[in-house]
Amino acid sequence: MVRQASAVWAGKAVGALSRLSGRGAGATFPGDVARAIDPGVLRKLSRDLRAGAVLITGTNGKTTTSRLVSALLEGLPATVVANRTGANLIWGLTAAALGAAGWSGRLKADWAVFEVDEATLPRAVEEVRPRAVLVMNLFRDQLDRYGELETTARTIAKALEALPPGAKAVLNADDPRVGEIGLGLSRPPVWYGFQDPAAGDRELPHAADATTCPRCGATLHFTSVYVGHDGVYACPNGDFARPDPEVAGTGVGLEGLERVRLSVSGQELEAQLGGLYNAYNLLAAFALGKALGLKPAYMAERLRTVAAAFGRQERFERGGRRLTLLLAKNPTGFNEVLKESLELAGARHFLIGLNDRLADGEDVSWIWDVDFERLAGRAATVQPAGIRAADLAVRLKYAGVRALAPVEAVGAALDALLRNVPAGEDVYLLCTYTAMLGLRAELVRRGWLKPYWKD
């Protein structure tokens, strides 16, 4: 117990110093320090949880869905520990637990809601011993780190097979690779998905990732396509098909980028989020809540008022313009954000930030799979920004998009964009992960936004 308490004290002190000095949120380094003193500190703190923990993983939507799930549990009422900053490696989970622990070295909380990096999931399952794991989707992301989707799928499958007795896996039936994982598990999962052909397309986007049968290699046939390769699919040889969702979303409605609506078994859901991808996040949170035994009407009431997480449709006003900050970190994410911004919000003015730091993936060749052609003839102003702004400018030129000169510093790029956008217009800031963090830090420095760890 002395070693655990020493690890907690050291971690909490480091986190406090980080925030007081303005160097950051203390989202990961406290975890590094604490684990150096006591490598088992997260395992021990997790045992203190009175109700248990849930883990949320997948390529896109983890932070938003974790926020929705936290809101569901907090209203019980319950005390919830969460890595709200999005630090989803094992050090980030540890830092979140440390932040909620007392100086006694014990964690006095009911629940933990942790978003977890896909490659980290086996370790997180081992240490946290969750009551449920939500697997949302598997899209191509950071290939120089993860490898192909099949590698990620095997990693997740290994973690799910190691779940404690009685723990539940909640899986997205609409994603073929997630479907492959779930159909191979020794314990059947809880499946969720859309059952609404009107909300989908009939054809896959050209950059779709999971398009072949995992058993015979034949090209899958899709009757509905919702987001990326997520949809209703079947192998033409009868070897593989989408599982029937136990929690099925119907009647999907999109009100600009302001609100989404859908129905599950007669229960109407809505959230202050925009786009079809956020309808998936809403359905995923509801499915996880149902697996935990929460009442549908209660969940509908709680979900209605949850606001967007930092950098994910975060809105603010400046100089008579309304700005919306949107995270887009891979081909599927970018394609969805572009489509929804143009078609639902009528967007005309964009800053697009591209970085190649470790957290983004150092290989940015994926930008050639983004449908930037959508912007041609529709966007009035496009400002390339970030470390790889020049690469982005080349891609935009080939897409037929007239863009401003690339500017590497995201703050200077934003100023250049605003000089070209009249007052009264809406501006959309589409950024990869570290470009979003850098831009947001600049906005905090200017007093336009508050630090995300104070949200």
Side-chain angles (χ1 to χ4, degrees):
M1 187 61 194
V2 172
R3 190 176 188 185
Q4 177 182 343
S6 298
V8 170
W9 297 340
K12 290 178 73 67
V14 168
L17 286 172
S18 178
R19 290 184 290 274
L20 286 172
S21 67
R23 292 179 178 270
T28 58
F29 191 48
D32 292 324
V33 171
R35 294 178 73 90
I37 297 169
D38 183 358
V41 65
L42 178 59
R43 189 189 311 270
K44 295 170 184 175
L45 290 173
S46 296
R47 292 179 191 145
D48 291 337
L49 294 166
R50 289 184 283 266
V54 295
L55 305 180
I56 298 170
T57 197
T59 309
N60 291 347
K62 295 187 290 293
T63 300
T64 297
T65 305
S66 297
R67 191 180 183 93
L68 293 169
V69 172
S70 292
L72 291 178
L73 297 175
E74 286 167 348
L76 292 176
T79 304
V80 177
V81 179
N83 51 338
R84 301 180 192 276
T85 63
N88 55 34
L89 301 180
I90 201 69
W91 304 277
L93 274 61
T94 305
L98 293 170
W103 290 104
S104 65
R106 303 300 295 271
L107 179 58
K108 295 181 180 180
D110 299 302
W111 289 92
V113 176
F114 291 142
E115 68 161 277
V116 183
D117 173 87
E118 301 94 293
T120 299
L121 187 62
R123 192 170 183 182
V125 166
E126 178 188 357
E127 296 194 19
V128 177
R129 308 298 287 168
R131 281 184 55 180
V133 173
L134 171 65
V135 183
M136 302 182 62
N137 47 58
L138 286 177
F139 298 124
R140 181 163 32 111
D141 189 50
Q142 298 186 48
L143 290 181
D144 48 3
R145 176 167 166 248
Y146 287 116
E148 296 294 339
L149 292 184
E150 289 76 12
T151 302
T152 306
R154 287 193 295 270
T155 299
I156 292 175
K158 175 184 176 183
L160 296 182
E161 286 290 9
L163 285 174
K168 295 183 178 181
V170 182
L171 272 57
N172 179 7
D174 295 349
D175 190 298
R177 291 292 83 89
V178 177
E180 176 189 0
I181 292 169
L183 291 173
L185 294 177
S186 56
R187 287 181 282 172
V190 175
W191 295 107
Y192 74 91
F194 285 153
Q195 202 83 314
D196 188 357
D201 297 323
R202 296 300 299 270
E203 295 184 0
L204 287 164
H206 79 274
D209 301 314
T211 61
T212 58
C213 173
R215 296 175 179 168
C216 71
T219 299
L220 294 172
H221 175 64
F222 283 78
T223 54
S224 290
V225 177
Y226 298 117
V227 172
H229 57 240
D230 286 5
V232 181
Y233 53 86
C235 170
N237 299 326
D239 294 327
F240 177 70
R242 183 190 75 151
D244 291 328
E246 176 183 334
V247 182
T250 61
V252 177
L254 308 176
E255 300 177 12
L257 286 182
E258 309 297 327
R259 189 171 299 275
V260 296
R261 295 178 289 102
L262 57 90
S263 178
V264 182
S265 301
Q267 179 63 62
E268 299 300 318
L269 305 178
E270 65 176 62
Q272 298 178 38
L273 303 166
L276 190 57
Y277 52 92
N278 272 318
Y280 257 124
N281 295 338
L282 180 62
L283 179 61
F286 184 87
L288 181 56
K290 185 175 181 182
L292 294 173
L294 303 185
K295 300 297 184 184
Y298 161 78
M299 290 194 285
E301 183 63 29
R302 289 293 298 177
L303 293 169
R304 185 174 294 116
T305 58
V306 181
F310 74 95
R312 284 86 170 168
Q313 295 188 3
E314 191 175 17
R315 297 180 176 91
F316 60 99
E317 293 189 4
R318 200 70 186 176
R321 309 172 187 86
R322 189 172 80 154
L323 294 86
T324 302
L325 183 57
L326 296 146
L327 175 66
K329 62 192 184 74
N330 51 44
T332 295
F334 248 110
N335 284 336
E336 289 302 314
V337 166
L338 285 171
K339 181 176 73 173
E340 308 289 16
S341 298
L342 290 165
E343 296 180 5
L344 294 179
R348 298 179 65 248
H349 307 286
F350 295 87
L351 179 146
I352 304 177
L354 177 66
N355 278 3
D356 63 352
R357 294 196 171 102
L358 185 62
D360 306 292
E362 296 171 339
D363 178 358
V364 298
S365 62
W366 57 267
I367 62 174
W368 292 89
D369 285 330
V370 177
D371 296 329
F372 288 115
E373 285 75 9
R374 291 179 182 272
L375 295 170
R378 301 176 73 177
T381 320
V382 180
Q383 176 64 65
I387 297 170
R388 301 298 287 269
D391 300 74
L392 181 59
V394 172
R395 173 68 186 97
L396 291 170
K397 181 176 181 179
Y398 275 90
V401 179
R402 297 185 64 181
L404 300 174
V407 178
E408 183 172 321
V410 287
L414 178 60
D415 291 335
L417 174 68
L418 294 180
R419 286 195 294 270
N420 288 275
V421 177
E425 295 285 320
D426 287 352
V427 176
Y428 293 83
L429 314 173
L430 282 55
C431 295
T432 56
Y433 186 66
T434 68
M436 180 271 288
L437 292 179
L439 177 57
R440 206 182 181 289
E442 173 63 19
L443 297 173
V444 169
R445 188 188 67 79
R446 297 181 183 190
W448 297 12
L449 288 175
K450 62 182 179 181
Y452 60 81
W453 60 85
K454 294 184 179 180
D455 182 9

